[in-house]
Amino acid sequence: MMSFAATTPTWLWIVDGVLLAILLWIFGNWFYYYVKGRIIKGGLKPQEFEKKVHNGQIIDLRSKGDFDTAHIMGARNIPYSYFKQYQESIRKDLPVLLYERTDQIPIRVAGKLKKNGYQEVYWLKGGFMKWEGNTKKKASL
């Protein structure tokens, strides 16, 4: 009697392995940021974030193009790729409110800021995609 493993083509095992690796990577990535978001306190729901907007520095970590298309009113654009260079321009005596398209980058930046002595650092849970408050949009032609 022949076993199933002996009759299954090798390429099918490779495809299964690749799919499993991709699923494990996706789950691992989600789990990492879920845990990190729990450890680094500061994630705010959109309603809570909106209450803090008037007293803090709002930092949009998206690209300039995304920022120019639409952003939270009063936000300043510091793309994540340039964040290290412009971090010193962020005041330590005021709350820092971070957002990006999703949660991952703001959680990473919040951790770096807290390590560097910033006391009040918050990020928008769900990112800009969940924001329903006031935005400034690019005027259409």
Side-chain angles (χ1 to χ4, degrees):
M1 182 171 183
M2 217 180 238
S3 72
F4 175 74
T7 60
T8 305
T10 305
W11 65 268
L12 192 56
W13 287 104
I14 293 170
V15 169
D16 287 346
V18 168
L19 289 174
L20 181 61
I22 290 170
L23 288 173
L24 286 173
W25 180 81
I26 290 170
F27 175 75
N29 198 30
W30 170 84
F31 186 72
Y32 172 79
Y33 284 105
Y34 175 79
V35 170
K36 194 167 184 176
R38 296 279 184 200
I39 292 169
I40 301 172
K41 303 288 184 205
L44 299 176
K45 293 178 182 174
Q47 299 84 3
E48 299 166 325
F49 194 86
E50 191 167 15
K51 290 177 186 174
K52 295 218 178 256
V53 160
H54 304 291
N55 301 328
Q57 310 165 81
I58 312 162
I59 310 294
D60 186 327
L61 299 167
R62 298 175 303 150
S63 69
K64 178 154 176 39
D66 288 342
F67 179 80
D68 289 343
T69 301
H71 60 271
I72 295 174
M73 292 291 278
R76 180 170 67 163
N77 184 227
I78 302 178
Y80 177 65
S81 55
Y82 296 104
F83 192 79
K84 200 174 202 178
Q85 296 167 330
Y86 293 100
Q87 179 179 333
E88 296 300 319
S89 68
I90 300 171
R91 294 175 52 179
K92 289 186 178 184
D93 62 329
L94 292 174
V96 179
L97 301 149
L98 304 167
Y99 73 93
E100 217 261 348
R101 193 175 54 83
T102 61
D103 287 348
Q104 294 178 358
I105 291 175
I107 290 171
R108 189 178 301 160
V109 170
K112 289 178 183 179
L113 288 173
K114 287 185 176 192
K115 270 187 185 176
N116 290 324
Y118 290 82
Q119 299 298 312
E120 288 189 77
V121 182
Y122 307 98
W123 70 89
L124 177 60
K125 280 187 178 179
F128 188 66
M129 297 178 350
K130 298 284 185 187
W131 180 254
E132 294 179 359
N134 293 333
T135 58
K136 183 173 183 181
K137 296 181 180 173
K138 187 176 186 179
S140 56
L141 299 174

